[in-house]
Amino acid sequence: QVQLVESGGGLVQPGGSLTLSCAASGRVVGIYTMGWYRRTPGTQRELVATITGDGSTWYRNSAKGRFTISGNSAKGTVALQMNGLEPEDTAVYYCGVHISNGTFYWGQGTQVTVSS
């Protein structure tokens, strides 16, 4: 019953910034980890950033220093601030929520396009 809805995607020029937001609908209990991953058509999905309930964060190497993840497990919300965007960041970005019982939920995605 849980649904995740992403927003904030769009078209930006190289070096620009975007903030992605995700909100869960329905009851979400026992969230362990929230995060973002992305996928380019024809490529394998890759994890971008995660945040745990205690605030610990993880970023893939290419995102370090440019992206910042934040979230509120109690509210079921997670955001990704992206600065210094590069063409290689172009992808569909998905938010995900990992529940303590092993269940994983993800949204439908939001398109991020970085191009001049």
Side-chain angles (χ1 to χ4, degrees):
Q1 187 175 32
V2 173
Q3 297 182 24
L4 302 177
V5 181
E6 302 96 337
S7 63
L11 173 64
V12 298
Q13 294 186 333
S17 299
L18 283 175
T19 299
L20 306 182
S21 299
C22 175
S25 62
R27 186 174 297 279
V28 182
V29 180
I31 295 177
Y32 272 6
T33 306
M34 300 184 292
W36 292 87
Y37 65 93
R38 64 190 181 189
R39 184 172 185 175
T40 299
T43 67
Q44 191 168 11
R45 182 180 62 191
E46 60 184 25
L47 190 62
V48 179
T50 64
I51 183 168
T52 61
D54 65 358
S56 297
T57 59
W58 174 92
Y59 301 90
R60 67 179 294 105
N61 288 335
S62 63
K64 292 180 180 178
R66 300 190 299 126
F67 294 2
T68 302
I69 188 171
S70 60
N72 186 322
S73 296
K75 297 178 62 177
T77 59
V78 60
L80 185 68
Q81 174 68 48
M82 304 186 293
N83 300 318
L85 286 164
E86 304 169 352
E88 292 74 18
D89 296 316
T90 296
V92 177
Y93 285 70
Y94 303 85
C95 68
V97 176
H98 192 186
I99 307 301
S100 61
N101 66 1
T103 302
F104 186 85
Y105 300 96
W106 60 91
Q108 294 184 336
T110 183
Q111 177 70 50
V112 172
T113 302
V114 185
S115 176
S116 59

